[in-house]
Amino acid sequence: MGVLFVCFFFFNDTATTEIYTLSLHDALPICSLLIKTCIRLIALLPLRTAHSAGKFVGLCFYWLPTRLRHSTRVNIDLCWPALEPAEKIKLTKQSLIHTGMSIMEVGAMLCWPKQRLLSLIRSTEGEEQLQQAIKQECGVILLTPHLGCWEIA
């Protein structure tokens, strides 16, 4: 899993620019190692525990004035303008809780063995049609939710 950080620094002093460039260069491997370590630690959790922790993360997104909370509210307002304010609040909270749960699933999705992940699938629909289209070398368009770990699994 790669993470891209983009920072722009504008300085008139060349020496200052070099110091900041070296500091950023030194910090990126540390950040990468920290992120990978966190993902591996999260992968050690049973999925139910990871989901519980994810619910807490999602509630933090809801309680704190985050950009994610703001964009979730804006999107809900745009998608459902006629919805009652109380329902919009409830939907915002539910959405952010599920976002937190999805974040906590990443460890399992990236680190667990394939068979362990496949054992979590409860049902599938349309697999026969997909296999038939692949066999006939036909193009297939899959419509899936973009939030969650469907793509990784």
Side-chain angles (χ1 to χ4, degrees), residues 43-108:
L44 296 174
L45 299 173
L47 194 56
R48 181 172 289 192
T49 304
H51 280 162
S52 294
K55 288 177 185 178
F56 177 75
V57 170
L59 286 172
C60 289
F61 289 150
Y62 176 74
W63 290 325
L64 299 172
T66 62
R67 199 168 78 187
L68 181 60
R69 182 182 77 174
H70 174 75
S71 63
T72 301
R73 285 181 174 172
V74 168
N75 288 335
I76 287 171
D77 283 338
L78 291 171
C79 292
W80 294 284
L83 203 60
E84 294 293 321
E87 286 298 313
K88 288 181 183 181
I89 291 170
K90 182 180 175 183
L91 190 56
T92 299
K93 188 174 185 179
Q94 289 173 343
S95 175
L96 293 171
I97 286 172
H98 283 279
T99 298
M101 291 171 65
S102 293
I103 290 169
M104 294 302 288
E105 287 177 350
V106 169

Side-chain angles (χ1 to χ4, degrees), residues 3-55:
V3 176
L4 174 66
F5 290 96
V6 178
C7 296
F8 295 99
F9 295 96
F10 298 100
F11 297 104
N12 290 333
D13 182 10
T14 307
T16 305
T17 304
E18 288 174 13
I19 291 169
Y20 278 98
T21 303
L22 289 173
S23 298
L24 184 60
H25 182 266
D26 294 338
L28 288 177
I30 294 169
C31 290
S32 176
L33 179 63
L34 182 63
I35 290 168
K36 288 177 184 178
T37 302
C38 287
I39 289 171
R40 287 187 182 115
L41 288 174
I42 290 168
L44 296 174
L45 299 173
L47 194 56
R48 181 172 289 192
T49 304
H51 280 162
S52 294
K55 288 177 185 178

